[in-house]
Amino acid sequence: MEFVPAPAVHRVLCADCGTPIVPNSANLCVPCLRNTVDITEGIPKQASISFCRNCERFLSPPQAWALARPESQELLAICLKKLKGLNRVRLTEAHFIWTEPHSKRLRVSMTIQKEVLTNTVLEQIFEIEYLVQHGQCPDCAKLAAKNTWKALVQVRQKVPHKRTFLFLEQLILKHGAQKDTIAVKEVRDGLDFFYSARNHAIKMVEFLAGVVPIKSKGSEQLLSTDTHTGTSNYKFTYSVEISIICKDDLVCIPLKQAKSLSNINPLTVCIRVGSSMQMLDPTTLQSVDIPATIYWRAPFDALASVTDLVEFTVLDIEPSGPTRGKLVLAEAQVALSGAFRSSKATEDDGMLDHETMGVANQIYHTRTHLGAILQPGDTVMGYHLTNANYNSDDYALLPSSRIPDIILVRKAYPNRRKKSKSRNWQLRTIAKEAGEEGETGKERGLVGRMGGRDQKKVEQDYELFLRELEEDPEMRGAVNLYKAKDDVNMSGPGVVASGKGKKKTQFAMDVDAGAEEEEAAAAETDDDAEEEPDFPEVKLDELLEHFDEMTLGDNVEPQEE
């Protein structure tokens, strides 16, 4: 085998330092070439970037304000756009160098390449420092100067409770629909959302149409007109009305409309509310979806709401076979909660007389859709229709054979409710007004800031909303739950900490006192009362990390022109 030597590499001396190098067009080594040619020439080593502290947005050239997190790709793109001269070189890598959050400095390391001589490409790494300058974006400047809004969304629901708006607040937060809102104002029967641009208001109306059944109407008001250019300045107002039918409401659909909806039984229960309403006949498991467009052609009211629910005890239950998803039809025997007490105990309490005891101890037979979750001895909430009197012509036209004595709606957990437990989770709020009359801390956010005579009622609705979230896993899946820094008392509003030294609202203390009395009374009658084993606990993997409270601007109420 013949040995072939490798070709010799000819080297020359560097023209500056005399180091042996491979020949190139400049006859210079790399360090001498860098000293001779600076490829970063024309690129500034220091620059500034504008940041709005109110809305936490950065100024992105030319005049757009964008939301970007620290050391994110979006913020890096904004920093690179601020540099001049990058178009003359090739950028191969860029990343942030960590700095103290309070230093108001951003450091970016960049790697660039450029052809300096024929077939000679030079690469260099250098650092650029950005000074974060605090300022105000035009939207926040208008708000700070009490400049008027340009678009308004008026959301209304004529119901006596606030549970719909409490749930709607969580949906808005989960989907980030509040990011363009400059102010929120609570009014009677609803909320007002203020925007600086018309398209932001239209976007909110479209979001509301996707989560609740609404009807909307828009109007405009002429503010000024420029006769020379033919331009006009308008205010836009969008009126949004939410259906008064809520989850677990008892509904009597008009007979003519019920026939057009798959001939469903007019007496139904609303089991889900979204862009459409799902009605269920508990006696047959027949259900129907009523879209918002169909509902608003001939709207109807609810016969009863969750405040009219009565507590029953399940004596016996036997599934009858038909199923529909998670729903199982069953024959149930129920009695009013607390029935079959000893007559001596009830007389001593002064609760029932002999005539009323006969009704209270009565056993009712009914059909229910809760056959999959109910067991003998469970507590269930339902509507008692035996002696009910509803002001509805459609209900009066129903034959008595189609009206059951009891309609069961959902399972209840009374032992869990009576015991003073603590919540390890809490909800986020859109806005907060501190120091307002009636405010004692962090109790209310978007809903309930009015204070005064409605404050206690709002807190009751908020507590019912929190319990409904605990007992309904499907409803919890639609909102974001966050880990609480301190345990939160179950008897009060969900953002009031129950740790040592924390204050509570009067409503929370009243409920705690009532819970202690109920627990003491229950201990006398049943010492072995335990928590329900099938209570749907809020698991740790359902919770997000704790958040910092969020406010909308400076919570400045918009001024009328």
Side-chain angles (χ1 to χ4, degrees):
M1 183 174 181
E2 185 179 358
F3 174 76
V4 179
V9 178
H10 300 284
R11 294 180 178 271
V12 297
L13 298 180
C14 175
D16 285 350
C17 62
T19 304
I21 60 172
V22 178
N24 55 49
S25 58
N27 286 333
L28 294 174
C29 62
V30 174
C32 295
L33 188 60
R34 287 180 177 174
N35 292 334
T36 306
V37 181
D38 183 13
I39 63 174
T40 64
E41 186 179 1
I43 302 177
K45 305 303 184 294
Q46 290 185 342
S48 62
I49 185 170
S50 300
F51 175 71
C52 179
R53 286 181 291 185
N54 294 334
C55 60
E56 297 183 352
R57 294 187 298 176
F58 290 89
L59 177 59
S60 177
Q63 290 296 330
W65 290 81
L67 188 65
R69 295 184 177 275
E71 298 189 5
S72 63
Q73 296 293 330
E74 294 80 7
L75 182 56
L76 184 60
I78 294 175
C79 292
L80 296 180
K81 287 181 181 179
K82 294 285 292 183
L83 289 180
K84 297 180 180 179
L86 277 182
N87 56 345
R88 295 193 294 268
V89 297
R90 179 185 178 187
L91 179 65
T92 59
E93 184 185 359
H95 62 271
F96 282 104
I97 301 175
W98 185 85
T99 56
E100 290 287 346
H102 57 78
S103 65
K104 299 182 182 179
R105 298 290 191 276
L106 296 176
R107 295 169 59 195
V108 179
S109 175
M110 302 177 59
T111 303
I112 61 173
Q113 293 179 350
K114 184 178 181 181
E115 185 176 0
V116 293
L117 298 171
T118 306
N119 296 329
T120 303
V121 178
L122 192 61
E123 182 178 280
Q124 187 170 345
I125 301 175
F126 67 105
E127 180 183 321
I128 298 178
E129 186 180 73
Y130 291 87
L131 174 64
V132 180
Q133 295 180 342
H134 290 166
Q136 277 188 329
C137 64
D139 296 336
C140 295
K142 289 181 181 179
L143 184 61
K146 298 184 182 297
N147 202 346
T148 186
W149 44 270
K150 294 301 179 184
L152 166 66
V153 178
Q154 299 174 331
V155 186
R156 301 290 184 269
Q157 186 187 33
K158 298 179 181 179
V159 292
H161 60 82
K162 296 287 186 179
R163 291 183 298 109
T164 301
F165 288 102
L166 290 169
F167 184 60
L168 188 61
E169 177 185 15
Q170 300 305 316
L171 292 178
I172 291 174
L173 280 169
K174 181 171 184 178
H175 296 87
Q178 84 290 351
K179 63 179 182 179
D180 296 322
T181 307
I182 61 174
V184 183
K185 182 180 179 182
E186 185 181 14
V187 295
R188 183 178 180 86
D189 296 330
L191 299 168
D192 287 347
F193 295 88
F194 297 87
Y195 298 92
S196 58
R198 181 187 183 185
N199 58 335
H200 296 160
I202 296 176
K203 188 176 180 180
M204 172 59 79
V205 174
E206 292 175 349
F207 170 78
L208 294 174
V211 295
V212 286
I214 65 168
K215 70 173 180 179
S216 60
K217 182 175 66 173
S219 62
E220 58 186 30
Q221 176 186 359
L222 179 63
L223 299 181
S224 61
T225 303
D226 189 346
T227 57
H228 298 286
T229 60
T231 58
S232 301
N233 187 16
Y234 288 92
K235 265 187 179 180
F236 300 93
T237 303
Y238 295 90
S239 176
V240 177
E241 183 177 354
I242 303 177
S243 166
I244 62 175
I245 307 297
C246 300
K247 187 176 180 290
D248 294 336
D249 281 359
L250 180 64
V251 178
C252 183
I253 305 175
L255 185 59
K256 183 178 180 181
Q257 193 169 353
K259 289 181 178 179
S260 64
L261 298 172
S262 304
N263 199 23
I264 192 173
N265 183 19
L267 199 59
T268 58
V269 175
C270 180
I271 61 174
R272 189 187 67 85
V273 176
S275 57
S276 62
M277 297 176 293
Q278 186 175 4
M279 303 295 178
L280 173 71
D281 179 10
T283 60
T284 62
L285 296 188
Q286 183 183 1
S287 64
V288 63
D289 281 340
I290 303 180
T293 53
I294 295 179
Y295 170 79
W296 288 110
R297 290 176 187 171
F300 49 85
D301 298 337
L303 289 180
S305 62
V306 292
T307 55
D308 302 316
L309 289 173
V310 181
E311 203 170 272
F312 295 92
T313 301
V314 180
L315 305 179
D316 188 21
I317 187 165
E318 181 180 354
S320 57
T323 61
R324 186 184 183 92
K326 297 181 181 180
L327 307 178
V328 177
L329 189 63
E331 302 285 342
Q333 295 182 9
V334 299
L336 288 172
S337 182
F340 305 108
R341 279 186 178 180
S342 62
S343 58
K344 184 177 184 304
T346 53
E347 289 177 1
D348 292 342
D349 295 340
M351 296 174 58
L352 300 173
D353 54 16
H354 292 285
E355 184 178 353
T356 312
M357 283 176 57
V359 178
N361 295 343
Q362 185 175 350
I363 298 177
Y364 299 94
H365 298 261
T366 186
R367 286 185 175 182
T368 178
H369 60 289
L370 305 175
I373 60 175
L374 292 182
Q375 298 293 333
D378 287 346
T379 302
V380 64
M381 306 298 292
Y383 294 106
H384 197 177
L385 304 183
T386 304
N387 299 322
N389 184 15
Y390 298 118
N391 186 18
S392 172
D393 296 336
D394 300 318
Y395 181 77
L397 294 176
L398 292 178
S400 58
S401 59
R402 303 185 69 176
I403 302 178
D405 295 330
I406 305 293
I407 292 182
L408 303 181
V409 176
R410 67 186 183 198
K411 185 177 179 179
Y413 304 89
N415 294 338
R416 175 79 178 187
R417 188 171 64 245
K418 290 175 182 176
K419 295 188 177 181
S420 179
K421 296 292 182 181
S422 59
R423 293 188 176 99
N424 62 343
W425 56 274
Q426 64 184 46
L427 299 175
R428 192 179 180 185
T429 57
I430 289 183
K432 188 188 295 89
E433 291 184 4
E436 186 181 358
E437 183 179 358
E439 286 288 334
T440 58
K442 303 179 182 178
E443 291 85 4
R444 292 277 73 82
L446 172 63
V447 182
R449 297 181 294 152
M450 294 178 65
R453 56 186 174 86
D454 295 332
Q455 190 67 17
K456 186 174 181 180
K457 180 65 172 62
V458 172
E459 290 177 352
Q460 292 173 352
D461 292 339
Y462 191 69
E463 174 60 25
L464 292 177
F465 172 65
L466 294 180
R467 291 178 181 176
E468 193 172 358
L469 279 178
E470 286 181 323
E471 299 174 4
D472 192 345
E474 184 178 351
M475 186 177 178
R476 286 203 305 268
V479 303
N480 287 338
L481 303 181
Y482 296 86
K483 296 178 183 177
K485 290 184 178 178
D486 299 314
D487 288 341
V488 179
N489 196 299
M490 288 185 63
S491 302
V495 294
V496 181
S498 62
K500 185 176 180 180
K502 299 290 183 180
K503 294 183 180 180
K504 293 184 181 180
T505 61
Q506 184 62 39
F507 171 70
M509 292 187 288
D510 293 343
V511 177
D512 285 344
E516 291 176 359
E517 294 177 1
E518 291 181 2
E519 189 174 353
E524 294 178 0
T525 57
D526 187 6
D527 296 335
D528 298 330
E530 297 180 355
E531 294 183 11
E532 292 80 356
D534 58 342
F535 184 82
E537 294 279 357
V538 180
K539 299 179 181 179
L540 192 62
D541 57 0
E542 297 181 49
L543 304 180
L544 303 177
E545 290 298 329
H546 184 77
F547 62 94
D548 294 329
E549 302 293 348
M550 171 188 168
T551 23
L552 275 176
D554 295 327
N555 291 326
V556 179
E557 296 294 348
Q559 303 293 322
E560 295 289 345
E561 283 187 339

